Amino acid sequence: MRLWNVVVKNVLRRKTRSLLTASGVAVAIGSVVALLGVSRGYQQTSADLYDNRGIDLVVVRAGVALASALDESYVELLRKLPHVARVNYGLSDNVSFGNDVISIRILGWPPGSSAFETLELREGRGLKDSDAAMDGTGGVLLGSSLAEERLNKKVGDTTEVEGTPFKVVGIFQSTNVLENGSAVLPLLALQTIMQREGQVNEFLITIEKRSPDLDRVTIDELRKQIGALEKDGERLGLVAKTTNEFVNSRAEMQMSRAMSFVISGIALLIGSVGMLNTMIMSVLERTQEIGLLRAIGWRKSRITRMILLEAFVLSVLGCAVGTAAAFGLTLALSQVPVVQGVLQRGITPGVVGAGFLMSMVVGLAGGLYPAYRGASLPPTEALRYE
Amino acid sequence: MSSPGTVTAAEPRTTKSAPAILRAVNLKRTYADGQVTALNDVSLEVHAGEYVAIMGRSGSGKSTLLNLLGALDRPDQGEIYFEGEPLSKQRNLDSFRAKRIGFVFQSFYLLPTLTAVENVQIPMFEGPLNPKQRADRAHELLKIVNLEHRLNHLPMELSVGERQRVAIARALANEPAMLLADEPTGNLDSTNEAEVLNLFDQLHAERNMTLVVITHSQDVADRAQRTIHLRDGRIVSDVTGHAASHSSRK
């Protein structure tokens, strides 16, 4: 017999209580894993939007976490910088479509922009300059899941963007779930709708050839030059970020991370308190047994190990069930039409690892004090305990 | 010794010329910040292979003495020497108890989730045996206490007598130098009591086991070679031979 046998039998002694405790841990870990997974998925999807196009730097207004407003004309200054192969730019926002559906991501790109290269046109045609018309003859491209799952539109149908009618001229497919749930208008049309004439959110820079000799120093130099750009003697106040930096700095990402952090903290607290309660009860009930173990020579460290292992067994059990439930939950959620095109499951090994680590913290936080208390019981007193 | 022994009818299997396995000198133990004196100036010797009964009324200090002799507690004053070594110098009393002392309690204290053979292995965690060797040894010990047919039974599936025999097998797990028993038959009927006492006799006779048994029962004390009586925390008699133990109680 090994210590493990004793531990497992102790855990199984009060099956209902162990099950409830493990369930508490499962709910805590499951919520965290699901939340982190969704958050990570969204982050990854957002980063993919840029990475898939070979974008190296994203230029936005310095010190602005929300969508920044930049003058479209800066593009010419950026194109003149050394090592810059291509500069794309555009406007993006969340708008309402028709009367019911709200908050759909819409992109405004200049027709003919190389940004369209990553979109595979499944039906219809691409955007033309004339599609920017605001009199009902303008055209819009819809992502496949937006067209089919949310709007139920096909090529030739008309849809309203913030009250302005546009004809669906094409339906595209992208490898990115976020893009599949988006629409694309000519930049001019979106600027007009959003009353942001001449403005864009960001400039997307691709560095020439992506050659190996273009080292970090060169990129850093380029970033410095972008930061120092001036027009008419005035600094433009731009900042160039790598795609990861940019995605991580966005307000919604920061909010999502903050929420994950807060909810993880609460879950951790609830899980730990539940575990603490169970383990204290368990140690209290077994006072005489622990006294016997001490009397016959079990060291304090062995008693501590036994009780901590019991807490860890419950934690790992809860973690396994919670993680499985998180997989199921995010799978189910990703099938719900309202979040299609936004939510991509991102339960990576890292997220599972974070959940496991958290369950270990719950086990430790809930088991440490009872273990200390159990191990500290003087055997003579413990044996007398009724 | 606090009082001289008197040899009577029963011839001891081991004489006091055997080396003292345990020597207690001027033990004092108080509780409640010194307000209650449980033991006062108690000195005694137990020789290797000796079978000693400690008797006394409730509150006489029997259990306190057993706790001190078994290194479960430390005295406020005095010293206990085990095989010549002072216990106060022992850095690890847990390890000492695990290897040198076997405990048998009135309430058995078997772990309810473990089978008989598993319960017997519990003290062996502190020894050198691997899991397989532990299991083999537990089998052996349960055979000695005539429970080889109950190896895989949980304590609740055993009779009280069988439970105490499992506890005795457990006490022998690490081949202790001395067995300390605290009211070992207190929860047993007369048939089971006889079985347990026969087992003690057998261990004493065949293995020359040193036994110190705390008891209220005269029948139990009668099996011992020597009876020590405690009253108000002091030894009032220490008599060798069970016939004398009757008279010394008066």
Side-chain angles (χ1 to χ4, degrees):
Chain A
M1 186 177 63
R2 294 169 188 277
L3 185 63
W4 269 111
N5 301 64
V6 182
V7 166
V8 170
K9 289 192 173 191
N10 280 340
V11 169
L12 294 177
R13 180 189 300 198
R14 301 271 187 186
K15 289 189 184 69
T16 310
R17 192 170 66 192
S18 293
L19 201 68
L20 285 173
T21 310
S23 304
V25 176
V27 169
I29 303 293
S31 331
V32 171
V33 168
L35 201 70
L36 280 178
V38 169
S39 159
R40 188 65 59 89
Y42 184 59
Q43 196 170 334
Q44 189 56 50
T45 310
S46 304
D48 285 349
L49 278 176
Y50 300 95
D51 292 340
N52 290 348
R53 296 204 173 90
I55 289 160
D56 298 297
L57 293 172
V58 180
V59 179
V60 290
R61 172 124 10 240
V64 177
L66 294 168
S68 65
L70 300 167
D71 196 314
E72 194 179 336
S73 65
Y74 296 168
V75 67
E76 296 310 326
L77 297 172
L78 293 167
R79 280 177 178 152
K80 284 179 193 157
L81 292 172
H83 305 299
V84 172
R86 201 164 63 187
V87 183
N88 277 320
Y89 55 98
L91 196 60
S92 66
D93 214 323
N94 289 322
V95 296
S96 66
F97 268 67
N99 294 326
D100 305 324
V101 188
I102 57 158
S103 202
I104 285 174
R105 187 165 178 271
I106 192 159
L107 308 159
W109 291 342
S113 160
S114 58
F116 286 98
E117 286 170 10
T118 57
L119 307 183
E120 184 196 332
L121 207 56
R122 267 184 21 189
E123 290 173 55
R125 59 167 176 82
L127 290 179
K128 298 190 287 195
D129 288 338
S130 58
D131 289 324
M134 304 295 286
D135 57 1
T137 62
V140 63
L141 287 181
L142 300 182
S144 56
S145 66
L146 173 64
E148 289 155 17
E149 311 287 344
R150 298 188 68 181
L151 298 177
N152 198 21
K153 297 282 181 193
K154 51 187 188 302
V155 172
D157 289 350
T158 298
T159 184
E160 285 189 358
V161 181
E162 292 285 323
T164 306
F166 285 89
K167 199 175 261 182
V168 178
V169 295
I171 292 172
F172 64 84
Q173 179 78 40
S174 164
T175 52
N176 189 290
V177 68
L178 213 54
E179 248 169 15
N180 279 335
S182 306
V184 186
L185 272 180
L187 175 62
L188 185 60
L190 189 58
Q191 285 172 331
T192 309
I193 288 170
M194 306 311 298
Q195 298 179 332
R196 295 174 68 174
E197 281 82 1
Q199 286 186 355
V200 294
N201 297 127
E202 60 202 17
F203 295 101
L204 310 172
I205 294 180
T206 305
I207 294 172
E208 62 188 12
K209 291 180 194 162
R210 303 174 69 79
S211 61
D213 57 327
L214 195 70
D215 56 20
R216 180 136 299 282
V217 177
T218 315
I219 294 176
D220 286 346
E221 184 57 33
L222 180 59
R223 291 173 72 168
K224 272 187 202 156
Q225 288 175 338
I226 292 170
L229 276 178
E230 292 182 354
K231 192 176 182 184
D232 304 329
E234 270 189 50
R235 192 167 268 217
L236 302 183
L238 302 181
V239 62
K241 299 177 176 181
T242 62
T243 51
N244 263 337
E245 280 172 7
F246 172 69
V247 168
N248 288 334
S249 70
R250 279 165 57 176
E252 65 259 38
M253 292 301 169
Q254 289 180 355
M255 196 169 314
S256 143
R257 268 203 304 277
M259 275 185 63
S260 299
F261 183 75
V262 170
I263 292 177
S264 299
I266 293 171
L268 199 70
L269 191 71
I270 293 171
S272 300
V273 169
M275 182 65 74
L276 186 66
N277 179 50
T278 297
M279 294 313 296
I280 284 181
M281 285 299 293
S282 169
V283 167
L284 202 66
E285 276 175 6
R286 291 185 290 157
T287 300
Q288 276 192 342
E289 286 172 35
I290 292 169
L292 178 272
L293 293 173
R294 296 279 296 120
I296 63 175
W298 271 35
R299 284 166 287 158
K300 287 182 179 182
S301 59
R302 194 180 300 279
I303 304 272
T304 305
R305 202 148 32 123
M306 177 183 79
I307 297 169
L308 272 181
L309 280 173
E310 288 171 20
F312 282 135
V313 165
L314 288 173
S315 291
V316 170
L317 198 70
C319 176
V321 173
T323 305
F327 269 101
L329 183 72
T330 50
L331 180 68
L333 269 178
S334 66
Q335 307 298 317
V336 176
V338 75
V339 294
Q340 271 193 352
V342 179
L343 189 144
Q344 175 164 308
R345 290 189 302 144
I347 302 183
T348 58
V351 170
V352 174
F356 180 75
L357 200 69
M358 214 174 115
S359 74
M360 291 293 100
V361 173
V362 168
L364 193 68
L368 206 56
Y369 171 68
Y372 165 77
R373 192 168 144 161
S376 305
L377 286 169
T380 48
E381 278 178 34
L383 286 172
R384 279 203 304 269
Y385 182 85
E386 294 292 334
Chain B
M1 295 289 199
S2 57
S3 81
T6 312
V7 180
T8 57
E11 193 61 34
R13 293 180 182 93
T14 308
T15 67
K16 287 186 180 177
S17 60
I21 191 171
L22 184 103
R23 187 159 65 90
V25 181
N26 303 126
L27 297 183
K28 183 174 184 180
R29 183 71 172 98
T30 58
Y31 294 107
D33 293 329
Q35 299 297 304
V36 179
T37 302
L39 275 187
N40 199 3
D41 197 28
V42 168
S43 298
L44 62 91
E45 276 186 3
V46 176
H47 296 263
E50 205 172 9
Y51 188 167
V52 181
I54 297 176
M55 296 189 78
R57 292 177 184 163
S58 293
S60 61
K62 301 188 302 291
S63 294
T64 303
L65 181 59
L66 180 119
N67 290 342
L68 296 179
L69 298 182
L72 289 169
D73 196 6
R74 290 187 188 269
D76 297 319
Q77 282 175 28
E79 182 62 274
I80 297 168
Y81 298 86
F82 197 90
E83 293 172 331
E85 296 293 321
L87 287 189
S88 62
K89 297 283 187 290
Q90 281 277 352
R91 289 182 65 191
N92 188 346
L93 283 181
D94 299 335
S95 172
F96 167 76
R97 287 196 303 274
K99 288 169 185 157
R100 307 305 291 149
I101 310 280
F103 288 98
V104 179
F105 299 98
Q106 178 176 359
S107 304
F108 328 127
Y109 297 131
L110 298 179
L111 303 193
T113 52
L114 303 184
T115 61
V117 74
E118 288 169 335
N119 263 291
V120 175
Q121 291 174 64
I122 284 290
M124 299 182 205
F125 280 95
E126 296 298 331
L129 303 183
N130 65 34
K132 166 84 172 65
Q133 290 168 323
R134 287 178 205 151
D136 290 346
R137 173 141 180 80
H139 276 94
E140 244 175 70
L141 291 167
L142 285 169
K143 204 170 168 186
I144 290 171
V145 298
N146 298 321
L147 283 175
E148 64 267 44
H149 59 298
R150 301 295 233 175
L151 297 176
N152 296 312
H153 285 67
L154 292 169
M156 62 177 295
E157 297 163 347
L158 301 173
S159 72
V160 284
E162 287 172 328
R163 286 179 212 177
Q164 191 59 300
R165 280 190 279 152
V166 173
I168 292 169
R170 180 183 64 193
L172 299 172
N174 291 333
E175 300 188 67
M178 183 169 76
L179 215 59
L180 286 181
D182 187 2
E183 300 282 5
T185 59
N187 281 343
L188 305 181
D189 58 26
S190 55
T191 313
N192 282 310
E193 175 180 289
E195 270 189 34
V196 165
L197 293 178
N198 289 343
L199 197 54
F200 282 170
D201 285 348
Q202 186 189 331
L203 290 171
H204 184 228
E206 294 174 8
R207 296 172 165 245
N208 200 31
M209 176 65 72
T210 310
L211 288 155
V212 177
V213 181
I214 283 186
T215 184
H216 275 104
S217 159
Q218 192 56 52
D219 291 341
V220 176
D222 285 348
R223 300 280 190 124
Q225 297 168 311
R226 176 179 159 206
T227 305
I228 295 171
H229 273 91
L230 286 177
R231 188 183 300 151
D232 300 331
R234 289 175 183 273
I235 292 179
V236 292
S237 73
D238 183 347
V239 181
T240 301
H242 66 265
S245 67
H246 290 279
S247 57
S248 62
R249 284 199 307 158
K250 289 168 189 168

